[in-house]
Amino acid sequence: MGEPSAQRVMRSGNANVRTLPTGRLRDRDAIGSSIAVREAVKAYGNFHAVDRISIDIEPGEFITLLGPSGSGKTTLLNLVAGFQSLDSGEILVDGKPVHNVPTHKRGFGMVFQSYALFPNMTVSQNVAFPLRMAGVDRATAERRVAETLEIMRLTEHATKSPSQMSGGQQQRVAIARAIVRKPKVVLMDEPLSALDRRLREQIQIEIRDLHQTIGSTILFVTHDQGEALTMSDRIAVLNAGKIVQIGRPLDIYRHPTDRFVASFVGESNLIEAEILQKRGSTLTMKNRAGYVFSAESRDTIDVGRATVLVRPERIAVSNEPAANSTPVSVTSAIFLGEILRIEAQMEGGDPLLIRCTDMADRPLPAVGDRLHVSWGAADCWVLA
Amino acid sequence: MTAASIGAQAGRPADLVLVRRLKDPALLLLPALAFLAFIYLLPLIDLIRISVSGPSWSTYFERVFAIPLYWDSLVRTMQISVTVAGLCLLFGYPTALLIHRSRGMTQALIATAIVLPYFIAILIRTYAWMVLLGRNGPVNKLLVSVGILSEPVQLLFNRGTVLLGMTAVLLPLMVLTIYSSVARLDQSLTRAALASGAGPIAAFWRVLLPLTLPGMGAGFLLVFVAAIGFFITPTLLGGPGDQMFAMHITQQADSVTSEGFLQALGVVLLTITLAVVAVAGRFLGFEFIWGGRKLTEAAPTTTNRYAADDGRRSFGASAADLIGWPLLRLFGRLPASFGTWTVRLMGGLVITVLILPIIVVMIISFSSASYLTFPPPGFSFRWYEQFFSDSNWMRAFWTSLVVAAMSAGIAIVLGASAALGIVRSSIRGKSTIMLLLVSPIIVPPVVLGLSLYSLFLRFDLVGSVFGLAAAHAIGGLPLVVVILSASLQGVDTRLEQAAAVHGASSLTVFRLVTLPAIMPGLAAATFFAFLHSFDELVLTLFLSSAELKTLPLMLWGDINYRLNPVLAVVSTLEVLLVVAGLVLARPVLATSRKAT
């Protein structure tokens, strides 16, 4: 334990030092720790909650573990936090193994789904708790608590008891408690899932801004793909105890490696098609409806069948047949505000989901209407 | 109002109101309340009336306080009770943590080790200690064989054994009370403290301990209140210098001349008990008696000791700065295993103290020796044969079964109806009624027995099976009401509405939806009411006759004048009965605990 982590922070000319919008905290060049997980395994009997996961997290990175429940994301977070111990493999923080370091000496900050505010302490006592445990003197602690409360816009609630506050306020207190020590690593375990949508979106932005300001490495766990896309530098998608794909939000969304990622992140059309011909990196394909389209291939597939991902918003829609379009019949159409969500059936019966922006010349289609859709090579992504 | 009801109202409004009144579930409370009024409140009021019936109202009380024997005994009772409650807290807390922190099979085993003794008669558990600590008991044997003693000594009949016995008897109550308050806590609170850099000890001291303080308070007071009225254990394990207050009442009860004075003794004991409970209820909410949860009130904005003190340093705050926090940080350096091992060692000790006597008694029941000695010289069934062939024992055994079955029947009928009334009606003063229904738990059995004795004399019920069963049902009723109201609250009323909407009459709804849902609770309640009566000794001492002897009464007589292995046989049978009941009730207990 001992010194607050801010005092241990390396001051380096690291290229990773961020340019900050507004430096509200003093240690502006504070950089988080790197975290490396190597071949981590955690099993309960025959069930492998975490199955040989390896991941390298850069200092100061905002990384999200995304996956359905039971995918192992929370177990992985608990392993990093030290609440559970590894069966095999190792976890390195700044290059040093941590398996023998108990949780309270790891110097992390953590935000819990249930807030986990100490009900027997006031807001400021809660926020001061990590500082007192680190042995920060009273004057410094008071100043730091006041600063942190101000950042989280909680100053006027300092003397309240947590039970007197709303869920959103409580979660901001929990965040304040997690960052008050300026930890090099902040762990967040589905911190927004207990909040309503509007509040969730607001705090998402607050957390992202906060990350820019404090520079800690943030390991964020969620099952909400929208949240992951909005907030992260990189996303690790987990399924059945393994990392399926890791990458920037844009890459995950546009170039998923398999069907699971394609359908878990965002809405998707997965179209089975036959490869007719390959010229260079361009494939010519035909689906069950007989629609012939071209797609860019990233690897060596050249014969047989493949699954093609076409995002619903990439599909061009018109009322009249156009060059290289295929007819579909509408099975449902929902007006969602700025967009229309249309479910349709291609010839041969395959369903197709379409999202298009609301436009003046586009009436809401009725069930049974015929539309003509098309997509280009750049709108397709061929899955292995 | 629907058209139909408007029509009916226009027709015969008076009838309708009457019908509606008769359908009010609050009426279901009446049988239980009438029962308690007659057999519980009336005798207690009568007891108080007799106690003030002297030349002046205070005559008998003045005598109680003027005689040093009683005053000393009262002080001693308080001392012993506080000590026992303190010991239970000291050892009970780590044990509750041990249950909470263990998982799976280990947890089930530890929990059983605590719960099992809780349901075994106090008399039998006290007897087990007499065996364990007796001259030929295993403890003496052990001390002699390792050379600490040169020959067996008298370990029994002193203050130490009274404290040990009472603590052992009351520990399960403490452990279960604290456990329920620990189990309610959000687990991530401890994790949050750890993640904030608090060592295990600091997390315990700053987070776990303050949050379980109400549970500790409830446990302490429950044990204290029970200890004040204790009678069996101090009588059997104590010496002449360890007389507790309740013992005087039973001793005086034999002499007819002390009418009035005797009642005054009872009233003093009752008053102290009720005063403690009243003060406790004021702070903890009366729900602590039956282990319910106090409705969480929004914590008042406490004067903030930290941020809001405007730079003014109170002495306490600086002391905390100088000593408290550094000390906590220092303890934080202790390896986590320190706390873990403290919990394991103390918890292990508690489990040993609770289980060992029972095991020793069970082994001795198979002894071939004609006197109590451990280890037994050989194995035989001779004491079982003697028990089952002795007509006195068998008659007492059947009497106990009949009384317990009747008593459980009374308690379950009255209690189930009362539970329905309290959960389903919308009358005011529910908490007061609940308090009344549950209050027999806290009245010292000696006082209850004394008050019932006069009532039974007047109605010529002494020695009647039915009278005894009804008296036992006074204590069984609260158990049934508590378990069943928890069960009923767990019933999803939307299911009942769904059944009603789809055409089920209210009786059908009850039969098809409500009854199956509370069935586990009903089974558990029946078992506990039965066991309560089967184990009951103190009321029976007052209310039985030479012809009507129950098993505990026979045991009591035998323990007092000869300690032989037949008692061990009875004890073993009782343990088997409880184990069988717990095994059957296990899934039930799990669900009813969730519902509470």
Side-chain angles (χ1 to χ4, degrees):
Chain A
M1 219 165 47
E3 296 305 293
S5 38
Q7 291 168 28
R8 281 179 284 158
V9 158
M10 335 169 259
R11 284 159 200 280
S12 62
N14 197 318
N16 253 321
V17 170
R18 287 155 190 279
T19 39
L20 297 156
T22 49
R24 282 179 294 189
L25 279 182
R26 208 145 333 131
D27 302 274
R28 246 173 287 173
D29 50 350
I31 285 297
S33 300
S34 69
I35 303 172
V37 178
R38 304 241 185 278
E39 297 280 303
V41 174
K42 179 73 188 176
Y44 303 100
N46 284 330
F47 173 67
H48 283 66
V50 167
D51 191 2
R52 298 207 302 147
I53 283 183
S54 293
I55 181 173
D56 276 294
I57 302 169
E58 299 290 319
E61 195 174 16
F62 192 127
I63 195 146
T64 298
L65 304 177
L66 173 67
S69 61
S71 60
K73 54 191 193 307
T74 297
T75 309
L76 183 57
L77 189 79
N78 285 342
L79 290 170
V80 174
F83 296 139
Q84 288 166 324
S85 52
L86 283 167
D87 292 343
S88 71
E90 60 179 352
I91 295 173
L92 309 166
V93 175
D94 283 333
K96 292 182 209 76
V98 293
H99 24 275
N100 288 324
V101 183
T103 299
H104 65 280
K105 292 183 185 166
R106 294 192 184 187
F108 298 166
M110 184 152 182
V111 184
F112 295 82
Q113 182 176 358
S114 64
Y115 319 137
L117 295 177
F118 307 125
N120 54 327
M121 302 180 199
T122 63
V123 167
S124 59
Q125 284 169 334
N126 262 288
V127 177
F129 188 83
L131 296 173
R132 305 315 309 263
M133 283 301 154
V136 174
D137 67 86
R138 178 176 285 265
T140 318
E142 264 179 41
R143 184 171 51 73
R144 289 269 287 278
V145 169
E147 280 173 9
T148 312
L149 287 179
E150 196 180 327
I151 293 173
M152 297 312 297
R153 295 183 284 114
L154 288 164
T155 309
E156 76 235 65
H157 304 296
T159 58
K160 279 190 187 165
S161 135
S163 58
Q164 295 169 308
M165 307 177 81
S166 69
Q169 288 169 333
Q170 288 191 41
Q171 196 51 291
R172 291 220 301 274
V173 176
I175 295 170
R177 183 178 64 186
I179 63 166
V180 69
R181 266 200 298 184
K182 298 173 189 170
K184 299 170 92 177
V185 175
V186 178
L187 309 175
M188 298 192 175
D189 185 8
E190 309 220 13
L192 307 177
S193 55
L195 303 176
D196 64 58
R197 196 175 128 242
R198 192 175 286 268
L199 206 53
R200 195 156 65 219
E201 284 167 0
Q202 184 194 333
I203 296 190
Q204 275 174 16
I205 296 167
E206 277 183 47
I207 292 179
R208 213 177 48 183
D209 291 350
L210 194 69
H211 175 238
Q212 302 285 309
T213 320
I214 62 175
S216 308
T217 307
I218 295 185
L219 188 53
F220 188 97
V221 163
T222 185
H223 62 266
D224 178 335
Q225 45 98 14
E227 202 165 282
L229 292 172
T230 320
M231 301 175 73
S232 329
D233 292 332
R234 278 196 301 161
I235 298 173
V237 185
L238 278 83
N239 189 29
K242 291 183 192 299
I243 292 183
V244 194
Q245 186 174 6
I246 181 162
R248 293 182 307 140
L250 198 74
D251 294 330
I252 299 271
Y253 186 79
R254 287 191 181 163
H255 308 303
T257 48
D258 66 3
R259 297 180 71 101
F260 172 78
V261 180
S263 51
F264 190 72
V265 180
E267 291 193 294
S268 52
N269 292 297
L270 295 170
I271 294 164
E272 302 291 335
E274 186 188 338
I275 299 169
L276 298 177
Q277 143 180 69
K278 178 172 183 178
R279 190 169 295 155
S281 66
T282 308
L283 297 173
T284 306
M285 310 182 80
K286 187 171 92 175
N287 77 342
R288 216 145 68 96
Y291 179 51
V292 176
F293 58 95
S294 53
E296 293 295 320
S297 157
R298 72 206 139 107
D299 47 31
T300 53
I301 311 166
D302 46 9
V303 285
R305 306 184 65 81
T307 305
V308 180
L309 166 69
V310 183
R311 293 290 182 191
E313 68 275 12
R314 293 288 192 86
I315 297 172
V317 187
S318 77
N319 294 327
E320 301 303 324
N324 194 28
S325 74
T326 183
V328 295
S329 74
V330 174
T331 53
S332 108
I334 304 167
F335 175 64
L336 293 175
E338 73 274 27
I339 55 168
L340 304 180
R341 185 181 189 278
I342 300 167
E343 285 173 25
Q345 211 166 42
M346 303 180 78
E347 278 171 12
D350 286 342
L352 191 71
L353 181 66
I354 307 158
R355 292 164 75 94
C356 50
T357 46
D358 179 41
M359 281 190 283
D361 59 350
R362 182 176 289 154
L364 189 65
V367 172
D369 279 3
R370 263 179 110 69
L371 294 174
H372 298 270
V373 300
S374 62
W375 55 81
D379 301 315
C380 300
W381 175 248
V382 182
L383 298 171
Chain B
M1 284 281 125
T2 61
S5 68
I6 290 171
Q9 238 173 8
R12 301 165 69 179
D15 278 8
L16 197 79
V17 170
L18 187 67
V19 165
R20 201 169 283 164
R21 289 240 170 104
L22 284 175
K23 280 188 172 172
D24 190 341
L27 288 177
L28 290 169
L29 284 164
L30 281 182
L33 290 179
F35 173 77
L36 285 183
F38 175 71
I39 204 171
Y40 167 66
L41 287 182
L42 192 69
L44 282 180
I45 292 168
D46 201 43
L47 180 86
I48 296 168
R49 186 188 58 76
I50 298 172
S51 75
V52 295
S53 64
S56 101
W57 73 268
S58 60
T59 314
Y60 295 127
F61 292 98
E62 279 163 23
R63 254 179 74 199
V64 172
F65 292 109
I67 301 174
L69 174 70
Y70 297 112
W71 175 250
D72 290 348
S73 163
L74 196 59
V75 173
R76 193 185 305 125
T77 301
M78 291 296 155
Q79 282 170 346
I80 291 176
S81 301
V82 169
T83 316
V84 166
L87 286 171
C88 282
L89 189 60
L90 182 67
F91 288 97
Y93 199 98
T95 314
L97 282 187
L98 187 65
I99 301 179
H100 184 61
R101 286 179 184 174
S102 46
R103 291 280 165 271
M105 202 56 205
T106 326
Q107 187 179 39
L109 280 176
I110 298 173
T112 312
I114 306 296
V115 172
L116 180 66
Y118 186 57
F119 292 118
I120 294 172
I122 294 175
L123 178 62
I124 284 172
R125 298 173 58 204
T126 308
Y127 162 75
W129 280 105
M130 296 173 78
V131 173
L132 204 64
L133 298 174
R135 264 184 202 278
N136 294 313
V139 172
N140 254 321
K141 289 271 171 70
L142 187 73
L143 290 178
V144 170
S145 73
V146 298
I148 294 176
L149 297 176
S150 55
E151 60 180 43
V153 295
Q154 183 57 280
L155 297 171
L156 288 167
F157 314 128
N158 55 54
R159 183 64 58 88
T161 48
V162 172
L163 292 177
L164 175 66
M166 286 178 69
T167 304
V169 166
L170 289 168
L171 252 171
L173 180 64
M174 177 69 86
V175 174
L176 295 178
T177 310
I178 293 177
Y179 174 72
S180 74
S181 93
V182 173
R184 267 174 211 162
L185 284 184
D186 180 0
Q187 272 224 290
S188 54
L189 283 174
T190 311
R191 288 187 163 184
L194 291 174
S196 300
I201 307 262
F204 170 74
W205 184 256
R206 288 291 288 139
V207 178
L208 198 57
L209 202 63
L211 292 177
T212 48
L213 217 51
M216 294 165 69
F220 187 90
L221 289 161
L222 284 175
V223 169
F224 178 75
V225 164
I228 293 177
F230 245 52
F231 155 72
I232 299 168
T233 310
T235 308
L236 294 178
L237 295 179
D242 307 310
Q243 289 253 322
M244 286 184 72
F245 203 70
M247 292 161 69
H248 294 294
I249 297 177
T250 47
Q251 286 157 7
Q252 291 287 325
D254 298 334
S255 61
V256 200
T257 50
S258 48
E259 165 108 345
F261 178 68
L262 187 57
Q263 277 74 10
L265 287 177
V267 169
V268 169
L269 194 56
L270 183 64
T271 310
I272 294 170
T273 307
L274 293 183
V276 172
V277 171
V279 172
R282 178 88 186 75
F283 289 108
L284 297 168
F286 283 100
E287 291 82 356
F288 88 94
I289 299 169
W290 59 91
R293 189 203 299 239
K294 188 180 184 182
L295 296 172
T296 41
E297 296 157 5
T301 325
T302 42
T303 44
N304 192 334
R305 279 170 290 169
Y306 180 58
D309 65 359
D310 302 338
R312 186 173 52 82
R313 300 287 150 82
S314 70
F315 174 75
S318 358
D321 264 4
L322 283 174
I323 304 159
W325 288 101
L327 210 59
L328 272 188
R329 284 192 291 272
L330 193 69
F331 280 131
R333 301 231 174 94
L334 280 171
S337 57
F338 178 80
T340 315
W341 280 105
T342 312
V343 165
R344 283 191 191 157
L345 282 175
M346 292 182 79
L349 185 69
V350 166
I351 292 165
T352 314
V353 160
L354 289 179
I355 290 297
L356 191 67
I358 295 171
I359 291 176
V360 167
V361 164
M362 288 177 84
I363 294 174
I364 276 187
S365 73
F366 296 102
S367 170
S368 60
S370 57
Y371 58 98
L372 278 180
T373 180
F374 192 93
F379 174 88
S380 87
F381 279 113
R382 61 183 282 201
W383 300 108
Y384 283 85
E385 281 161 23
Q386 186 168 335
F387 173 75
F388 284 107
S389 61
D390 184 325
S391 61
N392 285 330
W393 279 111
M394 288 324 286
R395 201 179 319 129
F397 183 63
W398 285 113
T399 307
S400 272
L401 281 184
V402 170
V403 169
M406 280 175 71
S407 171
I410 298 171
I412 212 79
V413 169
L414 296 177
S417 123
L420 267 173
I422 209 142
V423 174
R424 289 297 159 83
S425 73
S426 48
I427 48 165
R428 274 174 298 169
K430 269 190 190 182
S431 49
T432 314
I433 294 173
M434 188 68 179
L435 187 58
L436 175 69
L437 288 170
V438 173
S439 63
I441 295 181
I442 52 159
V443 173
V446 173
V447 176
L448 203 56
L450 180 64
S451 71
L452 279 171
Y453 185 58
S454 330
L455 181 86
F456 273 42
L457 277 182
R458 203 177 311 156
F459 292 93
D460 199 23
L461 283 167
V462 174
S464 97
V465 174
F466 181 77
L468 192 58
H472 287 174
I474 301 172
L477 187 64
L479 304 175
V480 175
V481 171
V482 168
I483 295 172
L484 282 187
S485 3
S487 286
L488 276 170
Q489 272 160 356
V491 176
D492 189 347
T493 46
R494 280 169 304 183
L495 287 182
E496 297 184 340
Q497 288 165 356
V501 163
H502 294 107
S505 71
S506 46
L507 206 64
T508 316
V509 170
F510 184 80
R511 192 166 53 84
L512 291 181
V513 179
T514 321
L515 199 59
I518 62 168
M519 208 53 215
L522 210 56
T526 312
F527 173 63
F528 292 136
F530 178 88
L531 207 59
H532 172 78
S533 167
F534 194 76
D535 288 348
E536 218 293 324
L537 170 63
V538 181
L539 293 189
T540 317
L541 275 175
F542 283 91
L543 305 177
S544 67
S545 63
E547 292 77 44
L548 183 76
K549 282 205 163 172
T550 64
L551 204 55
L553 205 62
M554 285 278 286
L555 281 172
W556 175 251
D558 257 30
I559 286 176
N560 274 329
Y561 86 108
R562 52 160 190 225
L563 269 174
N564 69 32
V566 175
L567 301 176
V569 170
V570 181
S571 306
T572 307
L573 293 177
E574 153 112 9
V575 172
L576 293 180
L577 173 75
V578 174
V579 170
L582 284 182
V583 168
L584 292 177
R586 219 191 132 58
V588 177
L589 284 178
T591 46
S592 74
R593 193 155 267 291
K594 250 179 262 159
T596 327

